[in-house]
Amino acid sequence: MGKKVALTGNEAAAHAIRQINPDVIAAFPITPSTPIPQTVAQFIADGEMDTELVTVESEHSAMSACIGAAAAGGRVMTATSANGYALMWEMLYIASGMRLPIVMAVVARALSSPLNIHGDHSDIMGGRDTGWIQLISENSQEAYDNIIQAVKIAENKNVMTPALVAQDGFNTSHTIEIWELEDDQKVKEFIGEYEPLYPMLNTDEPVTHGAWAPPNWYFEHKISQLKGLLDSKDVVEKVGKEFGETFGRHYGLYEAYKLDDAEYVIVAAGSVCGTTKDIIDGLREDGVKAGLLKIRLFRPFPYEELAETLQSAKAIAVLDRVSPAGAQGGPLFTEIRSALYDTQSRTPVINYTYGLGGRDTQPKHINSVFETLKRIVETGKVEKQFDCLNLRGEWR
Amino acid sequence: MAEKLLNWDEVLIGGAIKDPGNSKQYETGSWRVERPVWNQDTCIQCMFCWVYCPDSSIKVDENGKMTGIDYTFCKGCGICVEQCPTKPKSLKMILEAESKGKTEEELRKEVFSSEK
Ligand code: SF4
Ligand code: SF4
């Protein structure tokens, strides 16, 4: 049986890693994810795990060592944040291209400059096209549950693609919440044994990893890789269901919160969803049909399913915790709008950037979003397609 | 030695290669712009060219003697010429285009005649 514990999001990730007990972890400390490898190192020192912990000199080296260990045939994990994730960039593509099912806990944080160590989604959104599966967690429980599921998803024979599990820096990583820690043995049984496809350490069947592919081969390999990533969608759903049957907490591709008949809808990912749900509960009591579409799987992006759930909406606000950086809107916004283009719905969709560099997003800010959505439905007019939440000075 | 090109749904996952040594199927000599020409008359068999050649394209017989260049794989980098210690050099680079239709012996005479 699982037990209720009061621990931080980082500790939730560390406990998941302890129970998974991977063959190798290579990691380099960076705020706010440092407590993950730190706690894991303590578990190893205390004899609770027998993972080989490789302490490296940078995140580029961390991911490189993970790639080497995974190519050798090991079950491999790591953790990072922000600039550390950015330093891994080159190697992230190599891990996914080599189809190594590494699982990484990312504590999402702002990228410098200006230097800032607090939460936002600049890191994971910047890496959205690195070919990794991306699962985003709302809270500690989800961070824990998602890491366990990510192992099973990434290692599926049809997938064989690395996966990252994000939680929000500080909002989740350093906040003590009550969540359910499952039984060690039960987690072990759930993830099962890992069978690598072409382990380098199998000297009976020599294999080359990371070779070059000239123009007459590269394209085919990249499209084969894409198929593995896309196939992970069904596996995410299947593993989410199995997880629910085993541990009682069910997961799908997304979470629909009071969405069935919702007219005013927020689409968001991460810890802001908790605040949004509270506001929706209040609005529902007043008879306002408000709802939330919480993004869980961001890569591969389940655009058909998400568009389907948004069909009842009369106005939609997409919250991006990252600057649009010159695009029409944030990454979540452009994906959602694009997904809706193929459907009957011509619902107005607006976009907010919020929470950059740890900026607080409070109930009143979420309330203001719903107010704006109501005004759009009443007047039929969108005054601002893009705006900022809790920014000093009006965006224009 | 033409390689069989596979479709995207046939390639091995992750670009792994299960048949070791298949780089032999890739003829690095196919895109050579310049080629080294060898003069056995001045060669002292020091084997420097063999040590430095990045493509294992210096041919050696069973007695360990250098016997020429493997033009299937020589990519024409010129490192062997750089390393050759004899004066004058026993290896020289010429444009690949200028070698067309000529035998190795003809080329050797043409390239090294002025030094005789
Ligand atoms: S030119 Fe380069 S590749 Fe060709 S034989 Fe000389 S060293 Fe080897
Ligand atoms: S480096 Fe020059 S002298 Fe030495 S073996 Fe090669 S060709 Fe002959």
Side-chain angles (χ1 to χ4, degrees), chain B residues 38 43-49 66 84-86 90-91:
Chain B
W38 177 52
C43 171
I44 57 170
Q45 292 292 342
C46 68
M47 303 310 279
F48 280 14
C49 53
M66 192 239 181
C84 181
T86 60
S90 308
L91 286 162

Side-chain angles (χ1 to χ4, degrees), chain A residues 97-99 157 159-160 197-198 205-212 214 216-217 220-221 223-224 227, chain B residues 3-22 25-26 28 31:
Chain A
M98 288 171 68
R99 305 289 293 276
K157 285 274 176 290
V159 177
M160 288 302 286
L197 272 186
Y198 309 117
E205 284 182 55
V207 65
T208 301
H209 279 287
W212 98 299
N216 58 354
W217 283 100
E220 281 70 26
H221 283 296
I223 297 305
S224 161
K227 185 80 168 99
Chain B
E3 56 181 340
K4 184 177 169 348
L5 295 171
L6 302 174
N7 290 346
W8 72 267
D9 52 354
E10 298 168 333
V11 297
L12 224 51
I13 232 177
I17 296 172
K18 279 186 38 169
D19 28 311
N22 79 344
Q25 291 172 21
Y26 184 57
T28 39
W31 40 267

Side-chain angles (χ1 to χ4, degrees), chain B residues 35-36 49 52-58 69 73-81 91 93:
Chain B
R35 68 154 65 191
C49 53
Y52 281 93
C53 174
D55 280 275
S56 307
S57 300
I58 302 295
I69 313 286
F73 295 106
C74 163
K75 63 186 174 193
C77 66
I79 290 172
C80 53
V81 177
L91 286 162
M93 297 304 281

Side-chain angles (χ1 to χ4, degrees), chain A residues 15-142:
Chain A
H15 274 285
I17 295 169
R18 174 182 61 75
Q19 294 178 318
I20 292 159
N21 194 25
D23 297 303
V24 176
I25 293 175
F28 188 85
I30 182 164
T31 305
S33 62
T34 303
I36 298 177
Q38 184 184 329
T39 309
V40 165
Q42 189 67 53
F43 288 143
I44 294 171
D46 293 346
E48 292 184 47
M49 304 169 64
D50 53 16
T51 297
E52 179 80 30
L53 179 69
V54 188
T55 51
V56 285
E57 74 280 21
S58 75
E59 287 84 357
H60 188 280
S61 307
M63 189 43 66
S64 301
C66 286
I67 289 167
R75 184 177 258 165
V76 181
M77 299 183 75
T78 186
T80 196
S81 287
N83 297 58
Y85 179 78
L87 187 53
M88 287 181 178
W89 221 263
E90 175 192 10
M91 305 317 292
L92 294 175
Y93 281 88
I94 293 174
S96 60
M98 288 171 68
R99 305 289 293 276
L100 302 170
I102 299 162
V103 172
M104 170 158 64
V106 177
V107 179
R109 175 192 130 176
L111 286 169
S112 306
S113 148
L115 176 60
N116 177 290
I117 58 163
H118 292 272
D120 74 26
H121 295 161
S122 304
D123 47 10
I124 52 168
M125 286 299 148
R128 66 191 181 276
D129 295 336
T130 54
W132 283 55
I133 297 162
Q134 295 193 328
L135 290 163
I136 305 174
S137 323
E138 178 190 329
N139 50 39
S140 302
Q141 182 75 67
E142 288 190 8

